[in-house]
Amino acid sequence: MLPPTRGAAVQQDNPDITFITASAPVATASHGGRAKCLQRLVRLDLPVPRTVALSFDEVHRIAAGDTPDLEALIALLNPDGLICVRPSSEDPDWGGPGAVLNIGMNDARHASLSKTLGAAAANALYARFIQSYSIHVARLDPDMFDDMDMQADDICEQALDAYEFEAEEPFPQDVSQQLGGVLRSMARAWEGTSARLLRQAKGAPADAGLGLVVQEMVLGLGLGECGSGVLQLVNSTTGLPQTTGRYLSQSQGRDALETGAASLYIERDTRGPSLEEQAPAAFEALKAHAALMREKLREEMQIEFTIDNGRVHILDGVRVQRSARAAVRIAVRLAEDGIISREEALMRIEPRALNELLHRQIDPKAKRDVIGTGIAASPGAATGRIVFSAAAAQASAARGEACVLVRRETNPEDIRGMHAASAVLTERGGITSHAAVIGRGLGLPCVVGASSIRFQPKKRALATADGRVFREGDIITVDGSEGQILAGEPAMHEAALDDAFQTLMAWADAARDIDVRANADTPADAQTARNFKANGIGLCRTEHMFFDADRLTVMREMIFADASDDRRSALEQLLPMQREDFTELFRIMEGQPVCIRLFDPPLHEFLPTDRSGLRDLAEALSLPLSDVTRRVEAMGEYNPMLGMRGVRLGITVPEIYDMQARAIFEATIAASRDGDPVVPEIMIPLVSAKREVELVKTRIDAVAAAVRTVTGVKFDYRLGVMVETPRAALRAEDIAPHCHFFSFGTNDLTQMTYGLSRDDAGRFMSAYVQQGVYPEDPFHTLDADGVGELLKLGAERGRRARPDLTLSVCGEHGGSPESIAFCRKAGIDYVSCSPFRVPVARLAAAQLAISDKIG
């Protein structure tokens, strides 16, 4: 029995229950996107069936048991026809209850339609409605229909009997009662706890509203050409123009898209029959409607349509689903066709979606056999055979076999193996751990902190939670975009930097007002940065240049040297190698600034820790194994992160910085000979006191003077500091007079401000974020309140002492859109991030500038 009705007026100017006309009070924020789109289609004079829109407030009242005047609502539509109800949420991605078709079918209507359409068509309509009403309104068990033959002559009698048996009452015959049940069911489903949680997971607010549209049915069944389908003018995967979709004769709704449906192609196709051949007039009308919708709605739309005796009816228009690649091409084409502006095209692309274009990705249709999860540390996906050491990765690469490097955690010694691998998987680590940072720099898919898998490096095996064991040589896939590890080799989509991508990025560069540089440690990284149109190199970590086999031995000789002259002698062997690296770097980045960070890590990172490595070192140095072991153990530190590294090493072992400065200056001269003059930027790491800068600056100035004297060539350079300790930010006013620039290293600054280990925080960070301790992982999104306050203080105090001080952020936050927004407001001149994040940062910076421009 229906609840009492309110007798609410159903009319054109009623904002809660309104017949959709060109001027009806319908808005996306109050009635949902579907209702508003239907009104736009009505304004375009397209053949839309008569429709009534119910507002969010009205649906909320229906959920509470307050039913409107349903007879008055039905009277606005065809009293002798059938109706359907569809959800209309503010954002279609938020979901909603499924549509219910054929409301109004009852015994009398079934008998009438059997005469006009034939028994089979009438049976199909009635049986479909009984099934839908039973499941979605009466909430009966869907299994009750499993054993029924939906093509049987007595299917309606079977379905009615089953309903009466399960519901313990006859199937409702009154149209108002049917409609009231459907409206109430859909309204309550939207406001249920599980639906609300699902919406929130998709980014919807907890109190998001639902509108409903009640629409006259166009059956798609009957004499002449009848059916239903969908059509769009663009390929959802590539974004290229292509009339595509499906059509199924004698069908309703989206039946044509169901798996196994004997549907037709839309456009003429060699693979089978098409709508264009079967109903050419309807096909041309649909194409014309779609083109008009594209132009007037300023979007690529998918039409849901029904054909009734050859006549086209537009039931709905929805934004075409698209891949990131297609989204870029669609936005660019709309702008090039003058339908939207370039600025709007830029605003339509989610910056992080560019990762799908920059890296290989798993095909969305591929089956995923997920064996573990971790932190998505570096985007993209790659497949390879499991290896457990850097040496094994290099051997695999030499054989031409793709491999996945699996480690408990990576360290600088693993860099060569990372270069050789297709992907990296670690048991420990967070978003700014060694594996994550290097992986992003190399464009290497990486998942870290995969604690759901048991790593057994001694057994050379991985044990998964479901009991499976994967051994060295087995094939797995690492999805660094989703943080998943998969068994086997799913189908992939290749990276695609096409002409549309290049056009969009050119528009972004014209719009943005902050520079984007790249963190690049090798000439190969620099070339990638150049390819991605970075405005220079904001951070070159020189220590990564020392891990090649021919350099590592010399480096270890220098570490074991007791006297300054002996250290200098060993470093003389490294000098030409460093000079060659820097020269190539400068030549690749010709005309662009290059910021080189002086040596930063503690020296023990260059020493072996295993027995065989120690034996090899003893042999190379002609020393007893016991002496080497004792020396290595003595160099260990309780907390190397806060130990003798960075500027502390430069002051206590100054020969290293002397060699590096000389290599930089000699490379500057060599590179300037062949091209534009190079002005290198030299950055001192881990500064916390003014005197540190004075001491290092004095030595670097002396090296510069010596090189000028020997070569007779003049050159300029800029000296700056990496602000990554809280004290450096607080004492910026003292430090700035000795510098040309500050570069905020937000990875370490975050680590020191929070007292968190960036390598270990992944173990508990998700729990902290879930329980609201931190709103986001501070290593992933810059903490504006804490770390950001230090950054602003450092910037303000530094510029107070030196107004022309250049400011930058060179931690991984430099590639985060949210962090770039903060940097712009703080007056930062440029951000620097991994090469493969440069396009993301360029687009994010452009969107921020456009947002400010339009207010």
Side-chain angles (χ1 to χ4, degrees), residues 53 66 121-122 145 259 271 339 366 374 407 412 429 522 559 613 649 713 738 749 804:
D66 195 1
F145 297 96
T259 303
R271 293 172 294 176
I339 294 173
R407 305 285 285 159
T522 65
I559 293 171
L649 192 61
V713 178
H738 305 279
L749 189 58
D804 63 345

Side-chain angles (χ1 to χ4, degrees), residues 472-534:
E472 189 161 47
D474 289 345
I475 294 177
I476 62 172
T477 297
V478 172
D479 186 349
S481 300
E482 299 294 330
Q484 294 180 339
I485 305 96
L486 289 71
E489 185 174 1
M492 296 278 187
H493 280 170
E494 296 299 325
L497 303 184
D498 54 24
D499 55 342
F501 171 82
Q502 303 297 349
T503 299
L504 187 83
M505 297 314 299
W507 294 348
D509 291 339
R512 62 187 169 91
D513 55 10
I514 186 172
D515 281 350
V516 178
R517 296 195 196 179
N519 301 340
D521 304 335
T522 65
D525 294 342
Q527 188 60 59
T528 302
R530 189 89 196 195
N531 294 344
F532 285 140
K533 303 288 195 302

Side-chain angles (χ1 to χ4, degrees), residues 619-660:
E619 186 178 281
L621 298 176
S622 297
L623 291 173
L625 177 61
S626 58
D627 288 357
V628 170
T629 304
R630 195 179 308 112
R631 185 72 173 270
V632 170
E633 290 174 350
M635 291 190 69
E637 294 179 289
Y638 287 109
N639 193 342
M641 161 61 206
L642 301 178
M644 196 169 84
R645 51 168 285 222
V647 69
R648 302 157 193 168
L649 192 61
I651 289 173
T652 54
V653 189
E655 297 84 6
I656 298 176
Y657 281 9
D658 289 351
M659 181 275 289
Q660 289 194 302

Side-chain angles (χ1 to χ4, degrees), residues 37 66 75 79 131 196 212 273 293 512 523 601 603 649 696 710 751 796 801 816 840:
C37 181
D66 195 1
Q131 184 176 19
R196 187 168 63 252
L212 294 172
M293 288 167 65
R512 62 187 169 91
L603 292 177
L649 192 61
V696 173
V710 170
Q751 187 167 224
E796 291 166 4
S816 158
V840 175

Side-chain angles (χ1 to χ4, degrees), residues 99-151:
V100 178
L101 310 182
N102 303 323
I103 300 166
M105 278 300 296
N106 52 26
D107 293 346
R109 188 79 39 90
H110 176 256
S112 173
L113 290 175
S114 294
K115 295 176 182 177
T116 56
L117 299 180
N123 285 348
L125 288 171
Y126 201 7
R128 179 176 192 154
F129 178 54
I130 296 168
Q131 184 176 19
S132 180
Y133 193 92
S134 300
I135 295 169
H136 300 296
V137 180
R139 303 294 172 185
L140 302 182
D141 191 338
D143 294 348
M144 62 187 274
F145 297 96
D146 286 352
D147 297 329
M148 293 186 191
D149 178 6
M150 302 306 285
Q151 308 300 320

Side-chain angles (χ1 to χ4, degrees), residues 30-32 54-60 86-90 95-97 183 185-191 199 207-212:
S30 57
H31 293 77
L54 277 61
S55 72
F56 296 169
D57 290 340
E58 185 63 33
V59 174
H60 180 68
R86 301 171 188 268
S88 179
S89 58
E90 193 167 348
L183 295 178
S185 172
M186 293 175 76
R188 289 177 175 172
W190 177 263
E191 297 198 357
R199 285 198 304 279
D207 59 349
L210 176 73
L212 294 172

